[in-house]
Amino acid sequence: MPVTVIKVGGSLFDLPDLKDRLVNLLSELKDSQPLLLAGGGQAANLVRDWDRIYDLPQGNWHSLAIQAMLLNNSLLCYLLPDARLVLNIREAEHLWRVGLTPVLSINDYLVDTQSEEYADLPTSWDVTSDSIAAWITLTWPADELVLLKSVDLPDTVTTDDLSAQELVDPYFPKLADSLPCLRWCNLRSSEETLQLATVTRGKSFQSRNATGPA
């Protein structure tokens, strides 16, 4: 069965009804196996503040920022009764077989995964959970990436435009062309709909409603 990587944006973790919205969205993905990833949000922003205050060595703040996502992973596992933290593909496949939803520990996956086709992600604030989710989608390999955001996707834009508007991180356009499929959902919308965004040459998105109400 196809694998769908779902990155829950860090900006969404203050939604009081986040659980219900995620449950509804997952119910729309009936024909694929979901792999949840948590964005950094306020937890990662705290590490940014530490870096600004203490001028942390590059490797240190990068590791701390990724580890900060574990806090949000724990929240996802608390909110979703069927969600469990996994470290790798083998553990995710086991959960899918027994009807549970894996939440991937990004730090463990990045440490343990080597790819001959895709270069390791650089240690930079230009790389956030958007690019990490894209890299995981490519190296797993998964069949699509769903970015859960707090804003609507513009009708037609380039990934460079999205980066310039700070809707994705600066490194994301370097990976976007290689993604097999990308979908975008404004989970804050009063009419949550998945929007299918097909990556074409020139790194442009053509967006349209994909599944109706989530």
Side-chain angles (χ1 to χ4, degrees), residues 169-203:
D169 65 62
Y171 193 79
F172 187 81
K174 299 180 184 297
L175 300 172
D177 262 353
S178 299
L179 291 171
C181 180
L182 176 65
R183 294 204 262 183
W184 180 291
C185 179
N186 177 7
L187 207 64
R188 288 186 181 272
S189 172
S190 58
E191 297 179 356
E192 297 84 36
T193 58
L194 284 176
Q195 290 184 305
L196 179 63
T198 303
V199 182
T200 61
R201 291 186 184 275
K203 303 176 183 176

Side-chain angles (χ1 to χ4, degrees), residues 37-189:
L37 311 178
Q42 292 303 313
N45 288 339
L46 176 60
V47 179
R48 288 179 184 268
D49 291 340
W50 289 346
D51 183 36
R52 186 183 67 254
I53 295 169
Y54 303 115
D55 191 22
L56 299 172
Q58 190 174 43
N60 289 41
W61 63 250
H62 181 72
S63 176
L64 285 172
I66 293 177
Q67 291 178 48
M69 297 175 189
L70 284 172
L71 181 61
N72 294 337
N73 279 343
S74 298
L75 179 58
L76 287 178
C77 290
Y78 172 78
L79 292 176
L80 302 172
D82 292 336
R84 301 288 188 276
L85 189 67
V86 299
L87 308 183
N88 50 48
I89 294 174
R90 177 180 55 80
E91 293 182 0
E93 290 177 339
H94 170 71
L95 289 191
W96 288 324
R97 285 195 297 270
V98 296
L100 299 176
T101 301
V103 177
L104 182 65
S105 172
I106 290 174
N107 183 63
D108 289 279
Y109 184 83
L110 293 180
V111 168
D112 295 339
T113 303
Q114 300 293 322
S115 173
E116 295 182 0
E117 187 173 359
Y118 301 103
D120 291 343
L121 292 168
T123 303
S124 167
W125 283 120
D126 286 346
V127 175
T128 68
S129 55
D130 290 326
S131 287
I132 292 173
W135 194 85
I136 291 172
T137 302
L138 294 170
T139 58
W140 192 270
D143 298 272
E144 62 178 349
L145 169 63
V146 174
L147 295 179
L148 303 185
K149 295 284 189 174
S150 293
V151 296
D152 291 331
L153 178 68
D155 288 337
T156 303
V157 292
T158 68
T159 53
D160 288 331
D161 292 336
L162 291 177
S163 178
Q165 296 172 38
E166 299 184 352
L167 298 180
V168 296
D169 65 62
Y171 193 79
F172 187 81
K174 299 180 184 297
L175 300 172
D177 262 353
S178 299
L179 291 171
C181 180
L182 176 65
R183 294 204 262 183
W184 180 291
C185 179
N186 177 7
L187 207 64
R188 288 186 181 272
S189 172

